[in-house]
Amino acid sequence: MFRTLLTSSRFAPLFWTQFLSALSDSFVKNALVVLILYEIGSTEGATLVTLAGAVLIAPFFILSGVGGQFADRFDKAAMAERIKRAEIAVAVVAAAGFAIGSITMLFVALALYGAFAALFGPIKYGILPVHLAESELPAGNALVEGATFTAILAGTIAGTLAAGNDGSAWLIAVSVVGLSVLCWLAATRIPPTGEAAPELVIDRNPWTSTTTLLTDLRSDPRIWTGALIQAWFWLVGAIALSLLPTLVKELIGGTEGVIAACLLVFTVGIAWGSLLAARASKTRPNMALVPVGALLMGLFSIDLAWVVSGIRVPSAPVGVAEFVSSLQGMRILADLAGLAIAGGLYIVPAFAAVQIWAPVDRKARVIAGCNVVSAGFMAAAGVAVAALQSQGFGLGTLFLMLGVMNFAAFWLVLRAWGRAGVQDLAAFVYRTLMGLEVRGRENLPKEGERAIIAPNHVSLLDASMMHAILPSHAAFAIDTGMANTWWVKPFLKLVKAQPIDPTKPLGTRHLINAVKGGETLVIFPEGRLTVTGGLMKVYDGTAMIADKADAVVVPVRIDGPERSPFGYLNRYQTRKAWFPKTTITILPPVRLALDQSLKGRARRQAAGAKLQDIMVDSAVPPAN
């Protein structure tokens, strides 16, 4: 799909427009950063570097509302061409700044680049859902994100190295203008999109257009949540990239080449993570990757904080070869790569989902609203980091705080998405680690059907595996003792559960009524996990509920997890493995056929015996 899109007239011109635009922006920004760090010095340099990032981002908060309205009101391709044509003048300002060595003029150019980028953002992401099918959106977003960060990489390296060499000012100036012209030429090839909302009245007041945009965005809880999730990615990226140059120069004592090497690893990581996310999103965005990405970003941020806290500032400058050959250098690069890959996994499905959810006539404004929220997060992060740095907070502490906040984001994403998000995450983890294969999905009961799903019990993972594959109307019967344990309680808020006290004979009454009302109930009929590899004793309670509720029993056979450390079999009983291949087989529903003359205890025992036979039969795989 990637090759098809890159050669398609529907996508390729936008791809190259975005690539060249990001290349130009990053070239100017990072050349300016190097000039600040290596000419102004470290006393004021760190704060000015952070300010440079804020200057580039702040216009998104001010102008995205107007940009979104223009993008929905007019043809997006025509708007892209006009913006990129006007941007040539900004490139001339930047070129003049480099030529005469004026940091003030370069800051002005950076602000103007940010303003045009704010206007272009709703256009580029609004074009994608117009020209691409829903199944193509994850790949399209991944390519745009990959192009963006590859351009950032190229611009960063070129800008860093060019600014670090004397006598290159005129070469930089010519390059900036040349990139801008090429970007405009690519924009002229973008296919027309038509006017999404031709009757829309443009509000040219940045304040009211932005507030209206955010109000509309918040009116749809799903899209608003998606906007917040996206904004978190940009906040993490902004903080990491703003701290990186200072980390390299002040703590590592690295040269401009070391900064370029670190940014190379970070940018390639983002691109790789974005492509991995696209490959994992076959027919729709794989939302499970979002919490996985947040969790991994937290882990790598904390490890980076650990490494940074133990660094001793060298007495002599450190070159690329020396940095890469050191243990600390390799660990920093590994953490940067991990953080970036996790970011790519996180942002691609999250952004594609918002594009799909947005109404056709409001897509550009929804994207503009997301840009406003992201810009607000990034600007606030820039100000906060600059303030913390001015108060003496070290880089290790800042990365530690970033890691902890990513863990909080992981939990909040799961809370926001509820059961569906937890299911997607669990299914992804089990498919990835244990090759989970599900057979017989057609045997699952429909919503409203009286049914009890009865799996065998082979490991501590069984309940979460079943939750990952079952329809949303299925509820779990859970022992009250287990339900009240500290580590289970948080997860019960994300699943549909029916607590039961097995010591009270009347405790099953509400379960019977629930099944009678059409609820599908999941009950593990065995009294404990298997310690033999075979079926353990099947208790009568599950059979009694099925009988009194007049429900069918859907037996389920779980094979594989008993070999994992989460099963109770020892290494003498089976060959143990951390992540054994796992298969869940959902068998056809069975109704307990009981003698209608049986009553009371005799009927309960007969029902239990029937269920025992069903479970024994289901535990034996069919012969090939």
Side-chain angles (χ1 to χ4, degrees):
M1 183 179 291
F2 295 127
R3 183 178 299 175
T4 301
L5 288 176
L6 285 173
T7 57
S8 168
S9 60
R10 296 176 297 141
F11 178 78
L14 177 64
F15 174 86
W16 289 111
T17 301
Q18 170 59 15
F19 176 84
L20 292 167
S21 179
L23 179 63
S24 181
D25 292 353
S26 64
F27 185 93
V28 173
K29 175 179 178 286
N30 287 283
L32 175 59
V33 165
V34 172
L35 286 174
I36 290 171
L37 283 178
Y38 291 90
E39 290 191 13
I40 291 180
S42 60
T43 303
E44 301 175 2
T47 302
L48 285 177
V49 167
T50 303
L51 181 61
V55 165
L56 187 62
I57 294 304
F60 281 85
F61 192 72
I62 301 170
L63 297 175
S64 288
V66 175
Q69 290 182 7
F70 273 107
D72 277 334
R73 170 63 182 83
F74 301 105
D75 186 287
K76 296 176 180 61
M79 288 298 301
E81 186 275 330
R82 292 171 188 169
I83 288 172
K84 293 307 171 185
R85 189 197 321 157
E87 211 170 71
I88 296 174
V90 181
V92 172
V93 174
F98 282 117
I100 66 176
S102 171
I103 289 179
T104 300
M105 187 174 289
L106 288 172
F107 262 99
V108 171
L110 202 60
L112 291 173
Y113 272 120
F116 281 110
L119 296 174
F120 182 60
I123 293 172
K124 69 179 180 183
Y125 286 115
I127 288 176
L128 288 178
V130 175
H131 290 317
L132 302 185
E134 181 175 318
S135 60
E136 294 176 315
L137 272 179
N141 278 300
L143 287 171
V144 170
E145 296 294 343
T148 300
F149 284 98
T150 301
I152 290 173
L153 165 64
T156 296
I157 294 174
T160 300
L161 296 179
N165 294 322
D166 294 332
S168 60
W170 284 103
L171 176 60
I172 296 175
V174 172
S175 300
V176 169
V177 176
L179 286 172
S180 187
V181 171
L182 289 174
C183 184
W184 168 66
L185 291 174
T188 62
R189 308 284 294 180
I190 299 175
T193 63
E195 300 174 356
E199 304 301 323
L200 179 66
V201 177
I202 303 295
D203 182 358
R204 298 175 186 273
N205 184 321
W207 174 255
T208 56
S209 63
T210 299
T211 55
T212 300
L213 195 69
L214 293 177
T215 301
D216 291 343
L217 200 66
R218 295 194 66 174
S219 66
D220 188 326
R222 183 171 63 168
I223 292 178
W224 177 248
T225 300
L228 294 176
I229 288 171
Q230 286 181 54
W232 182 254
F233 163 80
W234 293 108
L235 178 146
V236 173
I239 292 177
L241 290 176
S242 68
L243 295 178
L244 186 56
T246 307
L247 163 64
V248 172
K249 183 176 185 296
E250 301 301 322
L251 285 187
I252 299 173
T255 61
E256 297 97 322
V258 176
I259 295 179
C262 290
L263 288 168
L264 167 63
V265 168
F266 190 85
T267 305
V268 170
I270 288 282
W272 191 21
S274 298
L275 296 177
L276 288 176
R279 289 186 181 277
S281 302
K282 301 293 185 182
T283 59
R284 65 181 181 89
N286 190 337
M287 304 304 284
L289 297 176
V290 180
V292 169
L295 182 62
L296 291 175
M297 285 192 291
L299 292 172
F300 285 113
S301 296
I302 287 178
D303 191 66
L304 191 55
W306 188 3
V307 179
V308 167
S309 298
I311 290 178
R312 295 181 179 179
V313 181
S315 56
V318 175
V320 175
E322 184 180 354
F323 174 72
V324 172
S325 62
S326 69
L327 182 61
Q328 281 184 333
M330 290 300 296
R331 192 166 165 188
I332 288 173
L333 291 177
D335 284 333
L336 288 174
L339 180 62
I341 292 170
L345 294 175
Y346 177 97
I347 189 59
V348 166
F351 199 52
V354 171
Q355 288 173 310
I356 292 169
W357 296 337
V360 173
D361 62 341
R362 292 184 58 244
K363 283 189 186 294
R365 277 169 288 170
V366 166
I367 293 165
C370 292
N371 289 345
V372 171
V373 177
S374 297
F377 272 51
M378 295 168 73
V383 171
V385 169
L388 291 172
Q389 286 175 315
S390 68
Q391 294 300 312
F393 280 73
L395 292 177
T397 302
L398 294 174
F399 277 115
L400 177 62
M401 293 170 63
L402 184 63
V404 172
M405 289 191 296
N406 271 305
F407 289 151
F410 164 77
W411 180 248
L412 291 174
V413 168
L414 290 184
R415 287 292 301 271
W417 284 346
R419 175 177 176 133
V422 175
Q423 282 185 302
D424 281 352
L425 174 60
F428 172 77
V429 170
Y430 286 128
R431 283 197 303 267
T432 302
L433 298 182
M434 304 178 77
L436 176 62
E437 179 184 355
V438 182
R439 301 172 182 171
R441 285 186 184 271
E442 67 277 6
N443 295 321
L444 286 172
K446 305 294 188 293
E447 186 170 5
E449 184 178 348
R450 297 182 181 184
I452 292 177
I453 298 176
N456 60 327
H457 211 356
V458 299
S459 78
L460 297 172
L461 302 176
D462 297 346
S464 62
M465 281 189 179
M466 291 301 299
H467 176 263
I469 68 168
L470 291 177
S472 59
H473 60 268
F476 284 77
I478 182 170
D479 187 302
T480 51
M482 179 66 72
N484 290 326
T485 56
W486 67 270
W487 61 275
V488 172
K489 273 186 176 181
F491 292 98
L492 290 184
K493 297 178 181 179
L494 302 173
V495 303
K496 196 173 181 181
Q498 293 279 7
I500 178 175
D501 187 346
T503 64
K504 297 179 179 179
L506 297 179
T508 57
R509 182 173 297 173
H510 76 283
L511 295 184
I512 295 171
N513 292 332
V515 177
K516 279 184 177 180
E519 183 163 281
T520 297
L521 198 61
V522 182
I523 305 177
F524 290 90
E526 295 172 82
R528 56 188 292 198
L529 268 66
T530 183
V531 294
T532 64
L535 196 71
M536 303 299 287
K537 179 182 178 181
V538 174
Y539 284 86
D540 299 343
T542 303
M544 182 192 71
I545 295 171
D547 180 39
K548 289 186 176 295
D550 190 26
V552 296
V553 175
V554 181
V556 175
R557 183 175 67 251
I558 303 175
D559 298 307
E562 68 277 4
R563 295 176 49 224
S564 75
F566 300 97
Y568 284 179
L569 301 185
N570 59 47
R571 61 189 180 89
Y572 299 107
Q573 295 172 293
T574 186
R575 185 178 179 181
K576 303 291 281 187
W578 273 100
F579 304 113
K581 166 67 179 175
T582 296
T583 303
I584 296 179
T585 305
I586 303 163
L587 298 163
V590 180
R591 190 173 296 277
L592 300 180
L594 301 178
D595 187 341
Q596 295 303 313
S597 64
L598 293 174
K599 304 295 181 184
R601 184 176 181 181
R603 186 176 183 86
R604 176 175 178 139
Q605 290 176 340
K610 286 282 187 182
L611 181 59
Q612 177 84 30
D613 292 341
I614 292 171
M615 295 300 295
V616 168
D617 291 342
S618 67
V620 179
N624 292 328

